[in-house]
Amino acid sequence: MKKDRRFIASICWIVIGAVLMGVSYAGLVDEYWSAMGTALFVIGVIQIIRWIRYWTNDAYKAQVDVEAHDERNRFISGRAWAWAGYLYVLLGAAATVVFRIAGNEELSVMAGMSVCILMVLYWLSWMLLRRKY
Amino acid sequence: MKNRLEALRREKGVRQEDLAQALNVSRQTIISLEKGKYNPSLALAFRLARYFALPIEEIFDDSDERV
């Protein structure tokens, strides 16, 4: 059921991508949306190819199912997200200072605010997960 | 955490691929477990104990981590 929904989502990406490319080609929107549409179209096509392989190739299906449910993979994924978060905060904080010294206050504020947003999201996640576990 | 997984697997004459398939994990997970680089979840530890028909204490050694 979940896989069917993902397949339908892939078709939706293709349709949305094609529509965006079409309206951009017709001159109704600018080229930015054409690039966005192309990206969505390509992602959708790649996903469909993967789904077809999944449904027609039993060995590939077994491999994908094990990889998707493998607990070490989930553990690594969680750790990778945690590392990404730590690095983002460190790099964001460094960027805030560097941009400030370089005299680009706008970028400095944006970098600082993005770190603040991440910290707020972390705090909210912590509060929610503390109740769950 | 140390463990006797590799020795137990070899005693049983089972390949890593077969053990991985029996436990519904990837072969890389078995390799990491045997090298002691990854500690299994409680659920996987129980599955391993059932597979080898041994108590968990006879597979995993937590002497380094006791408080």
Side-chain angles (χ1 to χ4, degrees):
Chain A
M1 193 67 184
K2 196 175 175 183
K3 283 166 184 159
D4 289 344
R5 279 204 300 268
R6 287 184 181 176
F7 183 74
I8 292 165
S10 302
I11 293 170
C12 288
W13 294 136
I14 291 173
V15 172
I16 294 167
V19 168
L20 283 175
M21 284 191 289
V23 293
S24 176
Y25 187 72
L28 298 172
V29 291
D30 63 34
E31 286 178 358
Y32 169 81
W33 295 104
S34 173
M36 178 78 82
T38 306
L40 287 176
F41 188 86
V42 170
I43 289 168
V45 169
I46 291 170
Q47 288 288 79
I48 293 282
I49 291 168
R50 288 178 66 191
W51 284 120
I52 290 169
R53 190 177 171 204
Y54 179 84
W55 281 318
T56 56
N57 186 332
D58 287 341
Y60 179 71
K61 183 178 186 297
Q63 182 195 336
V64 168
D65 286 344
V66 168
E67 292 291 331
H69 297 107
D70 184 56
E71 68 167 51
R72 180 174 159 274
N73 283 348
R74 289 183 180 181
F75 169 78
I76 291 170
S77 174
R79 289 298 289 260
W81 275 111
W83 280 28
Y86 296 143
L87 286 171
Y88 188 90
V89 169
L90 287 173
L91 293 173
T96 305
V97 175
V98 169
F99 284 133
R100 183 81 185 185
I101 292 168
N104 194 331
E105 196 168 331
E106 194 179 348
L107 281 178
S108 174
V109 169
M110 282 175 68
M113 288 302 288
S114 72
V115 171
C116 288
I117 290 168
L118 188 67
M119 297 306 291
V120 169
L121 287 173
Y122 172 79
W123 180 77
L124 285 172
S125 304
W126 171 270
M127 297 300 280
L128 286 170
L129 290 171
R130 197 175 64 161
R131 287 181 186 207
K132 187 176 178 186
Y133 299 104
Chain B
M1 191 184 292
K2 293 175 194 163
N3 66 69
R4 295 175 50 223
L5 271 179
E6 188 173 1
L8 291 169
R9 180 177 60 76
R10 287 183 190 281
E11 269 175 34
K12 212 173 162 82
V14 180
R15 294 182 311 156
Q16 286 176 330
E17 289 94 329
D18 300 328
L19 182 58
Q21 199 170 10
L23 299 170
N24 201 24
V25 295
S26 66
R27 180 170 167 254
Q28 190 56 51
T29 297
I30 300 298
I31 293 169
S32 292
L33 285 169
E34 288 185 355
K35 286 183 178 173
K37 286 165 71 177
Y38 171 69
N39 290 331
S41 67
L42 197 53
L44 181 54
F46 270 102
R47 292 211 299 277
L48 281 161
R50 274 196 291 273
Y51 183 86
F52 289 111
L54 288 170
I56 288 175
E57 295 92 327
E58 288 191 29
I59 302 174
F60 296 97
D61 175 13
D62 71 335
S63 55
D64 292 348
E65 305 199 12
R66 277 184 204 151
V67 183

